[in-house]
């Protein structure tokens, strides 16, 4: 199995676990403040991790051409998306919101295919539809559904569109430092949501609640987002989004194990659909002759067939390593995903 698929599924598992963990810890906070503190835990935790890893402050390594993509991703995914969702939830039932959130993976894939020209064949589309159908079934309301206006659902849909844009913009910088990308997005989203919550009258909780909230945010939002960025690097937006949309199912499975919640028929049906979708994706084999254009970038790599370059510094043979390197034009054929080296036309 491709390591990037494991990254995507692990990201989904950590994100899905954040809801039952918050419930287990009894984090009874306003939705906006809870979102802000979870994002803040992500940003602070990843920033500290990066300082420890680098033994001090180091530049981000992003090129001038990459900063607009990251700023756009932060604006849509870290600021506009969460704010739209929180306002949408004030006039939307939880069941409807859960159903609407399945739009994120669909819109991510549509943008990836239509706007960013990412490759997708019939197998990938069918797999994504099965996963999304499982998510819809899992979130389908069990009781009566009360009539409600369109404002709330439209705001939730707007949030999904913002995150779909975020996913595709983040893909453009996914070769860069995942800790920096995820950390700065968490800090921005945390500051915006916490400021909004405090301005609306919320107050910070006691340290006995604040500490666990930040830890859950670091794991369920921070580490999850790092893994998501690594998956984007190797799989592209549509496939990563499809795998990540298994998060509600994984969260429900964790709730059953940790909280002893009852197992419903819809859970097993959703399991089958999501399992089918993941299996279809795992069976994908996309191979054809393709041409690599000249490319200059920086990321961790080993010296495989795509990384046959000289070094302008003394190299001790350690792999993987990271440095700016040049790819020369090359034409060959092999199985591949739309990763950072295979964003070619078909």
């Amino acid at each position: 199995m491709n390591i990037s698929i494991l990254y995507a599924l692990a990201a989904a598992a950590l994100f899905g676990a954040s809801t039952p963990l918050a419930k287990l810890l009894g984090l009874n906070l306003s939705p906006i403040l809870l979102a802000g503190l979870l994002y803040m835990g992500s940003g602070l935790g990843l920033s500290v991790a990066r300082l420890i890893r680098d033994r001090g402050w180091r530049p981000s390594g992003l090129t001038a051409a990459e900063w607009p993509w990251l700023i756009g991703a932060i604006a849509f995914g870290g600021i506009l998306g969460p704010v739209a969702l929180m306002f949408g939830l004030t006039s939307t039932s939880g069941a409807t919101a859960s159903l609407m959130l399945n739009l994120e993976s669909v819109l991510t894939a549509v943008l990836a295919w239509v706007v960013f020209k990412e490759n997708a064949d019939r197998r990938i589309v069918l797999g994504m539809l099965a996963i999304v159908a499982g998510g819809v079934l899992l979130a389908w309301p069990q009781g009566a559904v009360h009539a409600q206006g369109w404002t709330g659902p439209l705001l939730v849909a707007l949030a999904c569109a913002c995150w779909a844009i975020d996913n595709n913009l983040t893909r453009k910088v996914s070769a860069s430092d995942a800790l920096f990308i995820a950390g700065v997005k968490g800090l921005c989203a945390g500051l915006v949501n916490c400021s909004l919550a405090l301005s609306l009258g919320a107050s910070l909780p006691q340290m006995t609640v604040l500490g666990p909230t930040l830890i859950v945010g670091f794991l369920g939002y921070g580490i999850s987002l790092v893994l998501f960025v690594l998956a984007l690097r190797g799989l592209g937006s549509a496939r990563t989004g499809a795998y990540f949309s298994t998060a509600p199912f994984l969260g429900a499975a964790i709730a059953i194990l940790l909280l002893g919640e009852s197992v419903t028929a819809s859970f097993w049906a959703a399991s089958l659909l999501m399992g089918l979708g993941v299996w279809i994706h795992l069976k994908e084999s996309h191979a054809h002759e393709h041409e690599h254009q000249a490319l200059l970038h920086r990321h961790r790599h080993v010296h495989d067939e795509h990384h046959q370059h000289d070094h302008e510094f003394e190299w001790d043979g350690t792999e993987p390593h990271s440095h700016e390197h040049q790819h020369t034009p090359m034409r060959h054929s092999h199985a591949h995903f739309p990763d950072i080296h295979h964003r070619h036309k078909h």
Side-chain angles (χ1 to χ4, degrees), residues 153-282:
L154 284 176
L155 285 172
V156 175
L158 175 62
C160 292
C162 288
W163 285 320
I165 295 171
D166 168 25
N167 293 338
N168 281 281
L169 295 183
T170 301
R171 173 182 180 256
K172 303 289 285 187
V173 297
S174 59
S176 301
D177 185 2
L179 274 180
F180 174 78
I181 293 170
V184 73
K185 289 175 73 173
L187 286 175
C188 291
L191 286 171
V192 169
N193 282 277
C194 285
S195 298
L196 179 61
L198 294 176
S199 68
L200 293 174
S203 57
L204 291 175
Q206 298 287 334
M207 184 56 67
T208 53
V209 175
L210 180 61
T213 305
L214 295 176
I215 292 172
V216 171
F218 172 61
L219 296 173
Y221 283 56
I223 300 300
S224 174
L225 184 52
V226 170
L227 293 169
F228 187 86
V229 172
L230 293 175
L232 283 173
R233 183 183 300 175
L235 298 175
S237 302
R239 290 160 179 80
T240 301
Y243 284 119
F244 191 77
S245 60
T246 61
F249 161 71
L250 295 172
I254 292 170
I256 291 170
L257 293 174
L258 292 183
L259 304 178
E261 295 187 1
S262 59
V263 183
T264 63
S266 61
F267 173 82
W268 291 118
S271 302
L272 289 174
L273 284 169
M274 288 192 169
L276 174 63
V278 171
W279 178 80
I280 291 174
H281 277 213
L282 291 176

Side-chain angles (χ1 to χ4, degrees), residues 17-144:
S18 62
T19 299
L21 283 177
K23 186 175 180 180
L24 183 65
L25 294 170
L27 304 180
N28 188 22
L29 302 172
S30 73
I32 299 177
L33 182 60
L34 178 58
L37 292 177
L38 289 172
Y39 277 117
M40 189 63 72
S42 163
L44 292 175
L46 294 178
S47 297
V48 171
R50 186 167 181 262
L51 288 172
I52 294 173
R53 183 199 65 184
D54 296 341
R55 299 179 182 178
W57 174 255
R58 288 187 181 181
S60 65
L62 267 69
T63 65
E66 290 177 318
W67 275 105
W69 299 113
L70 179 58
I71 292 171
I74 292 171
F76 281 100
I79 299 175
L80 296 177
V83 171
L85 176 65
M86 294 308 154
F87 278 106
L89 289 176
T90 62
S91 55
T92 308
S93 69
T96 300
S98 295
L99 288 172
M100 295 292 294
L101 287 173
N102 286 282
L103 274 176
E104 180 185 346
S105 61
V106 176
L107 293 175
T108 295
V110 170
L111 283 175
W113 298 333
V114 176
V115 178
F116 294 93
K117 307 303 180 183
E118 186 175 299
N119 171 66
D121 57 21
R122 186 179 303 173
R123 178 182 293 275
I124 293 301
V125 175
L126 289 174
M128 189 199 74
L129 290 176
I131 293 172
V132 171
V136 169
L137 186 59
L138 191 65
W140 195 264
Q142 301 299 310

